[in-house]
Amino acid sequence: MKVLITGGGGFIGYRLALALLNKGTLSNAEGQQEPISQITLFDMAFPENVDARLKCVKGDLNDIACVETALGGDTGAVFHLASVVSGGAEADFELGYKVNLDGTRGLLDASRKQAKPPRFVFTSSVAVFGGELPEVLDDGTTPNPQGSYGAQKVICEYLVTDYSRKGYIDGRSLRLPTISVRPGKPNLAASSFASGIIREPLNGVPSVCPVGRDAKIWLLSPGKVIEALIHAYELPSSTWGVTRVINLPGNTAVVG
Ligand SMILES: NC(=O)c1ccc[n+]([C@@H]2O[C@H](COP(=O)([O-])OP(=O)(O)OC[C@H]3O[C@@H](n4cnc5c(N)ncnc54)[C@H](O)[C@@H]3O)[C@@H](O)[C@H]2O)c1
Protein backbone atom coordinates (compact mmCIF):
# COMPACT_ATOMS: atom_id res chain seq x y z
CA MET A 1 0.00 0.00 0.00
CA LYS A 2 1.25 3.47 -0.87
CA VAL A 3 0.93 6.20 1.76
CA LEU A 4 0.99 9.97 1.25
CA ILE A 5 1.54 12.33 4.18
CA THR A 6 0.98 15.99 3.38
CA GLY A 7 2.82 18.18 5.85
CA GLY A 8 5.14 15.19 6.16
CA GLY A 9 8.09 17.45 6.87
CA GLY A 10 6.32 18.98 9.88
CA PHE A 11 6.24 18.22 13.60
CA ILE A 12 3.49 15.57 13.59
CA GLY A 13 3.79 14.48 9.94
CA TYR A 14 7.41 13.40 10.17
CA ARG A 15 6.83 11.54 13.45
CA LEU A 16 3.87 9.79 11.83
CA ALA A 17 6.09 8.72 8.92
CA LEU A 18 8.67 7.21 11.29
CA ALA A 19 5.92 5.39 13.21
CA LEU A 20 4.53 3.95 9.96
CA LEU A 21 8.01 2.84 8.88
CA ASN A 22 8.30 1.04 12.19
CA LYS A 23 4.83 -0.51 11.92
CA GLY A 24 5.30 -1.63 8.33
CA THR A 25 1.65 -2.39 7.58
CA LEU A 26 -1.75 -0.68 7.53
CA SER A 27 -5.25 -2.06 7.53
CA ASN A 28 -6.90 -2.19 4.09
CA ALA A 29 -10.58 -1.89 3.18
CA GLU A 30 -11.04 -5.62 3.82
CA GLY A 31 -9.63 -5.24 7.34
CA GLN A 32 -6.40 -7.09 6.59
CA GLN A 33 -2.96 -5.73 7.39
CA GLU A 34 -1.25 -4.85 4.12
CA PRO A 35 2.48 -4.13 3.82
CA ILE A 36 3.32 -0.46 3.23
CA SER A 37 5.22 -0.34 -0.05
CA GLN A 38 6.07 3.37 -0.06
CA ILE A 39 5.65 6.42 2.16
CA THR A 40 5.73 9.77 0.37
CA LEU A 41 6.14 12.97 2.30
CA PHE A 42 4.69 16.04 0.60
CA ASP A 43 5.78 19.37 2.02
CA MET A 44 7.53 22.64 1.20
CA ALA A 45 10.37 21.84 3.61
CA PHE A 46 11.83 18.76 5.27
CA PRO A 47 13.97 18.08 8.34
CA GLU A 48 17.68 17.49 7.84
CA ASN A 49 18.72 13.89 7.30
CA VAL A 50 15.28 12.50 6.41
CA ASP A 51 15.17 8.72 6.76
CA ALA A 52 16.31 7.32 3.41
CA ARG A 53 13.32 4.94 3.25
CA LEU A 54 10.98 7.91 2.83
CA LYS A 55 10.27 9.54 -0.53
CA CYS A 56 10.13 13.34 -0.33
CA VAL A 57 8.16 15.42 -2.80
CA LYS A 58 8.79 19.12 -2.33
CA GLY A 59 5.86 21.24 -3.44
CA ASP A 60 2.98 23.51 -2.60
CA LEU A 61 -0.42 22.03 -1.77
CA ASN A 62 -1.97 24.56 -4.15
CA ASP A 63 0.08 23.18 -7.04
CA ILE A 64 -2.36 20.47 -8.15
CA ALA A 65 -0.02 18.95 -10.74
CA CYS A 66 2.57 18.45 -8.03
CA VAL A 67 -0.02 16.96 -5.65
CA GLU A 68 -1.18 14.57 -8.37
CA THR A 69 2.41 13.52 -9.05
CA ALA A 70 2.89 12.80 -5.35
CA LEU A 71 -0.30 10.71 -5.24
CA GLY A 72 0.68 8.87 -8.40
CA GLY A 73 -2.75 7.32 -9.11
CA ASP A 74 -2.45 4.34 -6.80
CA THR A 75 -2.16 5.76 -3.28
CA GLY A 76 -4.33 3.89 -0.79
CA ALA A 77 -3.70 5.99 2.33
CA VAL A 78 -3.69 9.77 2.62
CA PHE A 79 -2.86 11.57 5.86
CA HIS A 80 -3.56 15.26 5.27
CA LEU A 81 -1.63 17.34 7.77
CA ALA A 82 -0.28 20.24 5.68
CA SER A 83 -1.70 23.45 7.02
CA VAL A 84 -1.06 27.06 7.79
CA VAL A 85 -1.29 27.01 11.60
CA SER A 86 -3.77 29.03 13.63
CA GLY A 87 -1.89 32.29 14.23
CA GLY A 88 -0.57 32.22 10.66
CA ALA A 89 -4.05 31.79 9.15
CA GLU A 90 -5.38 34.60 11.33
CA ALA A 91 -2.52 36.93 10.38
CA ASP A 92 -2.75 36.20 6.63
CA PHE A 93 -6.41 35.76 5.69
CA GLU A 94 -5.75 35.02 1.99
CA LEU A 95 -2.99 32.48 2.64
CA GLY A 96 -5.05 30.65 5.28
CA TYR A 97 -8.02 30.15 2.95
CA LYS A 98 -5.78 29.34 0.00
CA VAL A 99 -3.84 26.57 1.73
CA ASN A 100 -6.25 25.31 4.39
CA LEU A 101 -9.44 25.37 2.31
CA ASP A 102 -8.53 25.49 -1.41
CA GLY A 103 -5.51 23.22 -0.91
CA THR A 104 -7.59 20.64 0.95
CA ARG A 105 -10.30 20.74 -1.72
CA GLY A 106 -7.65 20.21 -4.42
CA LEU A 107 -6.17 17.27 -2.51
CA LEU A 108 -9.63 15.72 -2.08
CA ASP A 109 -10.28 15.98 -5.82
CA ALA A 110 -6.88 14.52 -6.63
CA SER A 111 -7.61 11.70 -4.15
CA ARG A 112 -10.84 10.95 -6.03
CA LYS A 113 -8.73 10.10 -9.06
CA GLN A 114 -6.90 7.23 -7.35
CA ALA A 115 -7.45 3.70 -8.60
CA LYS A 116 -9.51 2.92 -5.47
CA PRO A 117 -11.04 5.42 -3.01
CA PRO A 118 -8.20 6.05 -0.56
CA ARG A 119 -8.63 6.11 3.18
CA PHE A 120 -8.15 9.76 4.11
CA VAL A 121 -7.29 11.11 7.56
CA PHE A 122 -7.66 14.86 8.04
CA THR A 123 -6.17 16.69 11.01
CA SER A 124 -8.79 19.16 12.15
CA SER A 125 -8.50 21.06 15.42
CA VAL A 126 -10.35 21.90 18.60
CA ALA A 127 -10.11 25.47 17.25
CA VAL A 128 -13.46 24.64 15.57
CA PHE A 129 -14.97 25.31 19.02
CA GLY A 130 -15.46 28.75 20.47
CA GLY A 131 -17.83 31.22 22.05
CA GLU A 132 -19.88 30.08 25.03
CA LEU A 133 -18.77 26.52 25.72
CA PRO A 134 -20.13 23.81 28.01
CA GLU A 135 -17.86 22.46 30.77
CA VAL A 136 -17.29 19.28 28.76
CA LEU A 137 -17.01 19.27 24.97
CA ASP A 138 -17.98 16.10 23.16
CA ASP A 139 -18.38 15.04 19.54
CA GLY A 140 -21.91 16.48 19.55
CA THR A 141 -20.88 19.97 20.66
CA THR A 142 -21.67 22.41 17.85
CA PRO A 143 -18.55 23.97 16.31
CA ASN A 144 -18.56 27.74 16.53
CA PRO A 145 -15.10 28.84 15.39
CA GLN A 146 -13.91 32.26 16.47
CA GLY A 147 -11.02 32.49 14.02
CA SER A 148 -10.26 31.86 10.35
CA TYR A 149 -8.22 28.72 11.06
CA GLY A 150 -11.09 27.09 12.97
CA ALA A 151 -13.53 28.11 10.22
CA GLN A 152 -11.27 26.58 7.55
CA LYS A 153 -10.95 23.36 9.55
CA VAL A 154 -14.70 22.95 10.09
CA ILE A 155 -15.46 23.61 6.39
CA CYS A 156 -12.92 20.90 5.47
CA GLU A 157 -14.51 18.48 7.95
CA TYR A 158 -17.75 18.85 5.99
CA LEU A 159 -15.88 18.29 2.72
CA VAL A 160 -14.27 15.11 4.08
CA THR A 161 -17.67 13.86 5.26
CA ASP A 162 -19.37 14.64 1.95
CA TYR A 163 -16.64 13.12 -0.22
CA SER A 164 -16.93 10.02 2.00
CA ARG A 165 -20.72 9.92 1.63
CA LYS A 166 -20.24 9.95 -2.14
CA GLY A 167 -17.74 7.10 -1.87
CA TYR A 168 -14.88 9.16 -3.36
CA ILE A 169 -12.74 8.65 -0.27
CA ASP A 170 -13.08 6.84 3.07
CA GLY A 171 -12.47 9.89 5.22
CA ARG A 172 -12.04 10.61 8.89
CA SER A 173 -11.47 14.02 10.53
CA LEU A 174 -9.76 14.17 13.90
CA ARG A 175 -9.94 17.30 16.00
CA LEU A 176 -6.53 17.55 17.58
CA PRO A 177 -6.07 19.31 20.90
CA THR A 178 -2.82 21.18 21.56
CA ILE A 179 0.09 18.81 21.13
CA SER A 180 2.73 19.46 23.76
CA VAL A 181 5.67 19.49 24.09
CA ARG A 182 6.68 20.54 20.59
CA PRO A 183 10.47 20.65 20.22
CA GLY A 184 12.42 23.37 18.47
CA LYS A 185 11.42 26.97 18.11
CA PRO A 186 8.03 28.58 18.85
CA ASN A 187 5.69 28.52 15.84
CA LEU A 188 2.77 30.73 14.79
CA ALA A 189 0.12 28.56 16.49
CA ALA A 190 -1.99 30.50 18.99
CA SER A 191 -1.32 27.71 21.51
CA SER A 192 2.46 27.72 20.93
CA PHE A 193 2.95 28.93 24.51
CA ALA A 194 1.68 25.54 25.81
CA SER A 195 4.97 24.04 24.66
CA GLY A 196 7.02 27.19 25.23
CA ILE A 197 6.34 27.43 28.97
CA ILE A 198 7.80 23.93 29.41
CA ARG A 199 10.41 23.77 26.63
CA GLU A 200 12.09 27.17 27.05
CA PRO A 201 12.78 26.92 30.82
CA LEU A 202 14.21 23.42 30.27
CA ASN A 203 16.64 25.03 27.83
CA GLY A 204 17.41 27.85 30.27
CA VAL A 205 15.52 30.35 28.11
CA PRO A 206 12.84 32.70 29.53
CA SER A 207 9.28 32.17 28.27
CA VAL A 208 6.54 34.79 28.44
CA CYS A 209 3.12 33.23 28.94
CA PRO A 210 0.45 35.31 27.17
CA VAL A 211 -2.50 33.93 29.21
CA GLY A 212 -3.37 33.84 32.90
CA ARG A 213 -2.67 31.02 35.38
CA ASP A 214 -6.30 29.84 35.21
CA ALA A 215 -6.38 29.44 31.41
CA LYS A 216 -7.33 25.88 30.52
CA ILE A 217 -5.56 23.97 27.76
CA TRP A 218 -6.65 20.66 26.22
CA LEU A 219 -3.42 18.72 25.77
CA LEU A 220 -2.19 15.55 24.13
CA SER A 221 1.39 14.34 23.80
CA PRO A 222 3.21 13.86 20.46
CA GLY A 223 3.36 10.10 21.09
CA LYS A 224 -0.36 9.79 21.78
CA VAL A 225 -1.42 11.84 18.75
CA ILE A 226 0.56 9.53 16.46
CA GLU A 227 -1.12 6.50 18.06
CA ALA A 228 -4.51 8.18 17.56
CA LEU A 229 -3.85 8.99 13.90
CA ILE A 230 -2.94 5.38 13.14
CA HIS A 231 -5.79 3.97 15.23
CA ALA A 232 -8.34 6.23 13.53
CA TYR A 233 -6.94 5.22 10.16
CA GLU A 234 -7.27 1.54 10.92
CA LEU A 235 -10.87 1.61 12.16
CA PRO A 236 -13.13 0.05 9.54
CA SER A 237 -15.37 2.36 7.54
CA SER A 238 -18.44 0.82 9.19
CA THR A 239 -17.24 2.09 12.60
CA TRP A 240 -17.57 5.64 11.34
CA GLY A 241 -20.83 5.32 9.43
CA VAL A 242 -22.19 8.77 8.66
CA THR A 243 -20.19 10.41 11.47
CA ARG A 244 -16.77 11.17 10.11
CA VAL A 245 -15.56 13.64 12.75
CA ILE A 246 -14.32 13.06 16.28
CA ASN A 247 -12.57 15.00 19.02
CA LEU A 248 -9.37 13.34 20.15
CA PRO A 249 -9.11 12.75 23.88
CA GLY A 250 -6.61 14.64 26.00
CA ASN A 251 -6.02 16.05 29.45
CA THR A 252 -7.18 19.50 30.38
CA ALA A 253 -4.69 21.40 32.50
CA VAL A 254 -4.54 24.96 33.70
CA VAL A 255 -1.42 26.97 33.00
CA GLY A 256 -0.73 27.37 36.73
N1 LIG B 1 0.43 20.65 16.75
C1 LIG B 1 -0.75 20.96 17.31
O1 LIG B 1 -0.83 21.30 18.50
C2 LIG B 1 -2.00 20.86 16.48
C3 LIG B 1 -3.24 21.09 17.11
C4 LIG B 1 -4.40 21.02 16.35
C5 LIG B 1 -4.33 20.70 15.00
N2 LIG B 1 -3.12 20.49 14.42
C6 LIG B 1 -3.08 20.19 12.99
O2 LIG B 1 -2.24 19.07 12.78
C7 LIG B 1 -1.55 19.21 11.53
C8 LIG B 1 -0.05 19.06 11.73
O3 LIG B 1 0.37 20.01 12.69
P1 LIG B 1 1.91 20.23 13.04
O4 LIG B 1 1.97 20.68 14.44
O5 LIG B 1 2.70 19.07 12.61
O6 LIG B 1 2.23 21.49 12.13
P2 LIG B 1 3.58 21.88 11.36
O7 LIG B 1 3.49 23.34 11.09
O8 LIG B 1 4.78 21.38 12.10
O9 LIG B 1 3.44 21.06 10.01
C9 LIG B 1 2.61 21.49 8.98
C10 LIG B 1 3.39 21.34 7.69
O10 LIG B 1 2.57 21.81 6.61
C11 LIG B 1 3.46 22.36 5.66
N3 LIG B 1 2.75 23.28 4.77
C12 LIG B 1 2.19 24.48 5.08
N4 LIG B 1 1.70 25.05 3.98
C13 LIG B 1 1.94 24.18 2.95
C14 LIG B 1 1.68 24.23 1.56
N5 LIG B 1 1.06 25.28 0.99
N6 LIG B 1 2.06 23.19 0.80
C15 LIG B 1 2.70 22.11 1.36
N7 LIG B 1 2.97 22.02 2.68
C16 LIG B 1 2.60 23.06 3.46
C17 LIG B 1 4.52 23.09 6.48
O11 LIG B 1 5.71 23.27 5.73
C18 LIG B 1 4.69 22.16 7.67
O12 LIG B 1 5.81 21.30 7.51
C19 LIG B 1 -1.97 20.55 10.96
O13 LIG B 1 -3.02 20.33 10.04
C20 LIG B 1 -2.48 21.31 12.17
O14 LIG B 1 -3.47 22.26 11.78
C21 LIG B 1 -1.96 20.56 15.13
Short mmCIF file of all heavy atoms in Angstrom, two decimals, residues 135-179:
data_model
loop_
_atom_site.label_atom_id
_atom_site.label_comp_id
_atom_site.label_asym_id
_atom_site.label_seq_id
_atom_site.Cartn_x
_atom_site.Cartn_y
_atom_site.Cartn_z
N GLU A 135 -19.02 22.89 29.98
CA GLU A 135 -17.86 22.46 30.77
C GLU A 135 -17.12 21.32 30.06
O GLU A 135 -15.90 21.28 30.04
CB GLU A 135 -18.35 22.01 32.16
CG GLU A 135 -17.26 21.62 33.13
CD GLU A 135 -16.28 22.76 33.48
OE1 GLU A 135 -16.64 23.94 33.31
OE2 GLU A 135 -15.15 22.44 33.88
N VAL A 136 -17.90 20.41 29.47
CA VAL A 136 -17.29 19.28 28.76
C VAL A 136 -17.70 19.33 27.29
O VAL A 136 -18.89 19.45 26.98
CB VAL A 136 -17.74 17.93 29.37
CG1 VAL A 136 -17.17 16.76 28.56
CG2 VAL A 136 -17.31 17.82 30.83
N LEU A 137 -16.72 19.28 26.41
CA LEU A 137 -17.01 19.27 24.97
C LEU A 137 -17.00 17.82 24.49
O LEU A 137 -16.08 17.08 24.81
CB LEU A 137 -15.94 20.03 24.19
CG LEU A 137 -16.02 21.55 24.19
CD1 LEU A 137 -15.59 22.12 25.53
CD2 LEU A 137 -15.14 22.11 23.10
N ASP A 138 -18.02 17.44 23.74
CA ASP A 138 -17.98 16.10 23.16
C ASP A 138 -18.19 16.19 21.66
O ASP A 138 -18.27 17.29 21.10
CB ASP A 138 -18.98 15.15 23.84
CG ASP A 138 -20.42 15.60 23.68
OD1 ASP A 138 -20.71 16.34 22.71
OD2 ASP A 138 -21.26 15.22 24.51
N ASP A 139 -18.29 15.03 21.01
CA ASP A 139 -18.38 15.04 19.54
C ASP A 139 -19.66 15.73 19.05
O ASP A 139 -19.74 16.11 17.89
CB ASP A 139 -18.33 13.60 18.99
CG ASP A 139 -17.00 12.92 19.30
OD1 ASP A 139 -16.00 13.64 19.47
OD2 ASP A 139 -16.98 11.69 19.39
N GLY A 140 -20.65 15.85 19.95
CA GLY A 140 -21.91 16.48 19.55
C GLY A 140 -21.94 17.98 19.78
O GLY A 140 -22.90 18.66 19.39
N THR A 141 -20.91 18.53 20.42
CA THR A 141 -20.88 19.97 20.66
C THR A 141 -20.78 20.71 19.32
O THR A 141 -19.98 20.34 18.46
CB THR A 141 -19.65 20.35 21.54
OG1 THR A 141 -19.68 19.56 22.72
CG2 THR A 141 -19.67 21.83 21.90
N THR A 142 -21.63 21.70 19.14
CA THR A 142 -21.67 22.41 17.85
C THR A 142 -20.42 23.28 17.68
O THR A 142 -20.12 24.11 18.54
CB THR A 142 -22.91 23.33 17.78
OG1 THR A 142 -24.06 22.51 18.00
CG2 THR A 142 -23.03 24.01 16.43
N PRO A 143 -19.70 23.09 16.57
CA PRO A 143 -18.55 23.97 16.31
C PRO A 143 -19.01 25.42 16.13
O PRO A 143 -20.06 25.66 15.54
CB PRO A 143 -17.97 23.43 15.00
CG PRO A 143 -18.51 22.05 14.86
CD PRO A 143 -19.85 22.07 15.53
N ASN A 144 -18.25 26.31 16.66
CA ASN A 144 -18.56 27.74 16.53
C ASN A 144 -17.23 28.48 16.50
O ASN A 144 -16.86 29.18 17.43
CB ASN A 144 -19.42 28.16 17.73
CG ASN A 144 -19.86 29.59 17.63
OD1 ASN A 144 -19.81 30.21 16.56
ND2 ASN A 144 -20.30 30.16 18.74
N PRO A 145 -16.46 28.30 15.41
CA PRO A 145 -15.10 28.84 15.39
C PRO A 145 -15.06 30.35 15.53
O PRO A 145 -15.92 31.04 14.99
CB PRO A 145 -14.56 28.39 14.03
CG PRO A 145 -15.74 28.04 13.20
CD PRO A 145 -16.82 27.62 14.14
N GLN A 146 -14.07 30.82 16.26
CA GLN A 146 -13.91 32.26 16.47
C GLN A 146 -12.64 32.77 15.80
O GLN A 146 -12.08 33.77 16.21
CB GLN A 146 -13.87 32.56 17.98
CG GLN A 146 -15.12 32.13 18.71
CD GLN A 146 -16.36 32.86 18.23
OE1 GLN A 146 -16.38 34.09 18.20
NE2 GLN A 146 -17.39 32.11 17.84
N GLY A 147 -12.20 32.06 14.77
CA GLY A 147 -11.02 32.49 14.02
C GLY A 147 -11.06 31.84 12.65
O GLY A 147 -11.77 30.85 12.43
N SER A 148 -10.26 32.39 11.72
CA SER A 148 -10.26 31.86 10.35
C SER A 148 -9.79 30.41 10.29
O SER A 148 -10.35 29.60 9.56
CB SER A 148 -9.35 32.72 9.47
OG SER A 148 -9.85 34.03 9.37
N TYR A 149 -8.77 30.09 11.07
CA TYR A 149 -8.22 28.72 11.06
C TYR A 149 -9.31 27.70 11.45
O TYR A 149 -9.50 26.69 10.78
CB TYR A 149 -7.05 28.69 12.03
CG TYR A 149 -6.45 27.36 12.38
CD1 TYR A 149 -5.57 26.72 11.50
CD2 TYR A 149 -6.71 26.76 13.61
CE1 TYR A 149 -4.98 25.51 11.84
CE2 TYR A 149 -6.12 25.55 13.97
CZ TYR A 149 -5.27 24.93 13.07
OH TYR A 149 -4.68 23.73 13.43
N GLY A 150 -10.03 28.00 12.53
CA GLY A 150 -11.09 27.09 12.97
C GLY A 150 -12.19 26.99 11.92
O GLY A 150 -12.74 25.90 11.69
N ALA A 151 -12.50 28.11 11.28
CA ALA A 151 -13.53 28.11 10.22
C ALA A 151 -13.06 27.24 9.06
O ALA A 151 -13.83 26.42 8.52
CB ALA A 151 -13.80 29.54 9.76
N GLN A 152 -11.81 27.39 8.67
CA GLN A 152 -11.27 26.58 7.55
C GLN A 152 -11.30 25.09 7.91
O GLN A 152 -11.67 24.26 7.07
CB GLN A 152 -9.83 27.03 7.24
CG GLN A 152 -9.76 28.41 6.62
CD GLN A 152 -8.54 29.23 7.04
OE1 GLN A 152 -7.58 28.71 7.59
NE2 GLN A 152 -8.58 30.53 6.76
N LYS A 153 -10.97 24.78 9.14
CA LYS A 153 -10.95 23.36 9.55
C LYS A 153 -12.36 22.78 9.52
O LYS A 153 -12.57 21.67 9.05
CB LYS A 153 -10.34 23.21 10.95
CG LYS A 153 -8.84 23.48 11.02
CD LYS A 153 -8.02 22.38 10.38
CE LYS A 153 -6.53 22.52 10.66
NZ LYS A 153 -5.71 21.57 9.91
N VAL A 154 -13.34 23.52 10.02
CA VAL A 154 -14.70 22.95 10.09
C VAL A 154 -15.30 22.82 8.68
O VAL A 154 -16.00 21.85 8.38
CB VAL A 154 -15.61 23.73 11.07
CG1 VAL A 154 -16.15 25.01 10.49
CG2 VAL A 154 -16.76 22.86 11.54
N ILE A 155 -14.99 23.74 7.79
CA ILE A 155 -15.46 23.61 6.39
C ILE A 155 -14.87 22.33 5.79
O ILE A 155 -15.57 21.55 5.13
CB ILE A 155 -15.06 24.84 5.55
CG1 ILE A 155 -15.78 26.10 6.05
CG2 ILE A 155 -15.39 24.61 4.07
CD1 ILE A 155 -15.21 27.41 5.48
N CYS A 156 -13.59 22.10 6.04
CA CYS A 156 -12.92 20.90 5.47
C CYS A 156 -13.47 19.62 6.09
O CYS A 156 -13.54 18.59 5.41
CB CYS A 156 -11.41 21.01 5.62
SG CYS A 156 -10.73 22.31 4.59
N GLU A 157 -13.87 19.66 7.36
CA GLU A 157 -14.51 18.48 7.95
C GLU A 157 -15.76 18.11 7.13
O GLU A 157 -16.00 16.94 6.84
CB GLU A 157 -14.95 18.76 9.39
CG GLU A 157 -13.82 18.92 10.39
CD GLU A 157 -14.36 19.26 11.78
OE1 GLU A 157 -15.59 19.42 11.96
OE2 GLU A 157 -13.52 19.39 12.70
N TYR A 158 -16.54 19.12 6.79
CA TYR A 158 -17.75 18.85 5.99
C TYR A 158 -17.39 18.29 4.62
O TYR A 158 -18.07 17.41 4.10
CB TYR A 158 -18.60 20.12 5.84
CG TYR A 158 -19.41 20.45 7.07
CD1 TYR A 158 -19.21 21.64 7.77
CD2 TYR A 158 -20.38 19.57 7.55
CE1 TYR A 158 -19.95 21.94 8.90
CE2 TYR A 158 -21.11 19.86 8.68
CZ TYR A 158 -20.90 21.05 9.36
OH TYR A 158 -21.63 21.33 10.48
N LEU A 159 -16.31 18.82 4.02
CA LEU A 159 -15.88 18.29 2.72
C LEU A 159 -15.49 16.81 2.85
O LEU A 159 -15.88 15.98 2.02
CB LEU A 159 -14.70 19.09 2.17
CG LEU A 159 -14.98 20.54 1.76
CD1 LEU A 159 -13.68 21.21 1.30
CD2 LEU A 159 -16.01 20.62 0.65
N VAL A 160 -14.71 16.50 3.88
CA VAL A 160 -14.27 15.11 4.08
C VAL A 160 -15.49 14.20 4.27
O VAL A 160 -15.57 13.10 3.70
CB VAL A 160 -13.30 15.01 5.29
CG1 VAL A 160 -13.04 13.57 5.69
CG2 VAL A 160 -11.98 15.72 4.96
N THR A 161 -16.46 14.66 5.03
CA THR A 161 -17.67 13.86 5.26
C THR A 161 -18.44 13.69 3.97
O THR A 161 -18.91 12.58 3.64
CB THR A 161 -18.56 14.53 6.33
OG1 THR A 161 -17.82 14.59 7.55
CG2 THR A 161 -19.84 13.75 6.57
N ASP A 162 -18.57 14.74 3.18
CA ASP A 162 -19.37 14.64 1.95
C ASP A 162 -18.67 13.80 0.88
O ASP A 162 -19.32 13.00 0.20
CB ASP A 162 -19.70 16.04 1.41
CG ASP A 162 -20.85 15.97 0.43
OD1 ASP A 162 -21.83 15.25 0.71
OD2 ASP A 162 -20.76 16.58 -0.65
N TYR A 163 -17.38 13.95 0.75
CA TYR A 163 -16.64 13.12 -0.22
C TYR A 163 -16.72 11.64 0.20
O TYR A 163 -16.72 10.75 -0.65
CB TYR A 163 -15.18 13.57 -0.33
CG TYR A 163 -14.94 14.76 -1.26
CD1 TYR A 163 -15.52 16.00 -1.00
CD2 TYR A 163 -14.12 14.64 -2.37
CE1 TYR A 163 -15.29 17.08 -1.83
CE2 TYR A 163 -13.88 15.73 -3.22
CZ TYR A 163 -14.47 16.95 -2.93
OH TYR A 163 -14.24 18.02 -3.75
N SER A 164 -16.79 11.40 1.51
CA SER A 164 -16.93 10.02 2.00
C SER A 164 -18.33 9.50 1.70
O SER A 164 -18.50 8.35 1.27
CB SER A 164 -16.66 9.96 3.51
OG SER A 164 -15.37 10.41 3.79
N ARG A 165 -19.34 10.32 1.93
CA ARG A 165 -20.72 9.92 1.63
C ARG A 165 -20.87 9.54 0.16
O ARG A 165 -21.56 8.57 -0.17
CB ARG A 165 -21.66 11.09 1.97
CG ARG A 165 -23.14 10.81 1.76
CD ARG A 165 -23.97 12.07 1.99
NE ARG A 165 -23.68 13.13 1.04
CZ ARG A 165 -24.17 13.20 -0.20
NH1 ARG A 165 -24.98 12.27 -0.64
NH2 ARG A 165 -23.83 14.20 -1.00
N LYS A 166 -20.17 10.26 -0.71
CA LYS A 166 -20.24 9.95 -2.14
C LYS A 166 -19.39 8.74 -2.52
O LYS A 166 -19.42 8.29 -3.67
CB LYS A 166 -19.76 11.17 -2.96
CG LYS A 166 -20.64 12.41 -2.83
CD LYS A 166 -22.00 12.24 -3.48
CE LYS A 166 -21.96 12.44 -4.98
NZ LYS A 166 -23.30 12.31 -5.59
N GLY A 167 -18.59 8.26 -1.58
CA GLY A 167 -17.74 7.10 -1.87
C GLY A 167 -16.46 7.46 -2.60
O GLY A 167 -15.76 6.57 -3.09
N TYR A 168 -16.11 8.75 -2.66
CA TYR A 168 -14.88 9.16 -3.36
C TYR A 168 -13.64 8.87 -2.52
O TYR A 168 -12.55 8.67 -3.04
CB TYR A 168 -14.93 10.66 -3.68
CG TYR A 168 -16.06 11.05 -4.60
CD1 TYR A 168 -16.68 12.29 -4.47
CD2 TYR A 168 -16.51 10.20 -5.62
CE1 TYR A 168 -17.72 12.66 -5.32
CE2 TYR A 168 -17.55 10.57 -6.46
CZ TYR A 168 -18.14 11.80 -6.31
OH TYR A 168 -19.17 12.18 -7.14
N ILE A 169 -13.81 8.97 -1.21
CA ILE A 169 -12.74 8.65 -0.27
C ILE A 169 -13.40 7.92 0.91
O ILE A 169 -14.64 7.90 1.00
CB ILE A 169 -12.01 9.91 0.29
CG1 ILE A 169 -13.01 10.84 1.00
CG2 ILE A 169 -11.24 10.64 -0.79
CD1 ILE A 169 -12.37 11.91 1.86
N ASP A 170 -12.57 7.37 1.80
CA ASP A 170 -13.08 6.84 3.07
C ASP A 170 -12.44 7.73 4.13
O ASP A 170 -11.35 7.45 4.61
CB ASP A 170 -12.67 5.36 3.18
CG ASP A 170 -13.06 4.76 4.52
OD1 ASP A 170 -13.74 5.44 5.31
OD2 ASP A 170 -12.66 3.60 4.78
N GLY A 171 -13.10 8.83 4.44
CA GLY A 171 -12.47 9.89 5.22
C GLY A 171 -12.78 9.85 6.70
O GLY A 171 -13.79 9.29 7.15
N ARG A 172 -11.88 10.45 7.45
CA ARG A 172 -12.04 10.61 8.89
C ARG A 172 -11.36 11.92 9.29
O ARG A 172 -10.20 12.15 8.93
CB ARG A 172 -11.30 9.52 9.68
CG ARG A 172 -11.64 8.08 9.48
CD ARG A 172 -10.74 7.36 8.49
NE ARG A 172 -11.49 6.28 7.85
CZ ARG A 172 -11.47 5.04 8.27
NH1 ARG A 172 -10.74 4.71 9.28
NH2 ARG A 172 -12.18 4.13 7.66
N SER A 173 -12.06 12.76 10.05
CA SER A 173 -11.47 14.02 10.53
C SER A 173 -11.27 13.92 12.03
O SER A 173 -12.21 13.58 12.76
CB SER A 173 -12.40 15.20 10.23
OG SER A 173 -12.57 15.37 8.85
N LEU A 174 -10.07 14.22 12.47
CA LEU A 174 -9.76 14.17 13.90
C LEU A 174 -9.47 15.57 14.39
O LEU A 174 -8.60 16.25 13.84
CB LEU A 174 -8.52 13.30 14.15
CG LEU A 174 -8.46 11.94 13.45
CD1 LEU A 174 -7.19 11.21 13.84
CD2 LEU A 174 -9.68 11.11 13.79
N ARG A 175 -10.20 15.97 15.42
CA ARG A 175 -9.94 17.30 16.00
C ARG A 175 -8.85 17.15 17.04
O ARG A 175 -9.06 16.58 18.11
CB ARG A 175 -11.21 17.85 16.62
CG ARG A 175 -12.27 18.16 15.59
CD ARG A 175 -13.52 18.66 16.25
NE ARG A 175 -14.56 18.93 15.28
CZ ARG A 175 -15.85 18.73 15.49
NH1 ARG A 175 -16.28 18.25 16.65
NH2 ARG A 175 -16.73 19.02 14.55
N LEU A 176 -7.67 17.66 16.68
CA LEU A 176 -6.53 17.55 17.58
C LEU A 176 -6.57 18.65 18.63
O LEU A 176 -6.80 19.82 18.30
CB LEU A 176 -5.21 17.71 16.81
CG LEU A 176 -4.59 16.47 16.16
CD1 LEU A 176 -5.55 15.76 15.23
CD2 LEU A 176 -3.31 16.84 15.43
N PRO A 177 -6.31 18.27 19.91
CA PRO A 177 -6.07 19.31 20.90
C PRO A 177 -4.64 19.84 20.73
O PRO A 177 -3.96 19.47 19.77
CB PRO A 177 -6.25 18.58 22.23
CG PRO A 177 -6.00 17.14 21.93
CD PRO A 177 -6.24 16.91 20.45
N THR A 178 -4.19 20.67 21.64
CA THR A 178 -2.82 21.18 21.56
C THR A 178 -1.84 20.05 21.86
O THR A 178 -1.98 19.35 22.87
CB THR A 178 -2.62 22.32 22.58
OG1 THR A 178 -3.49 23.38 22.20
CG2 THR A 178 -1.20 22.82 22.59
N ILE A 179 -0.89 19.88 20.95
CA ILE A 179 0.09 18.81 21.13
C ILE A 179 1.33 19.41 21.80
O ILE A 179 1.96 20.32 21.26
CB ILE A 179 0.47 18.16 19.77
CG1 ILE A 179 -0.80 17.79 18.97
CG2 ILE A 179 1.37 16.95 19.99
CD1 ILE A 179 -1.77 16.85 19.67
#
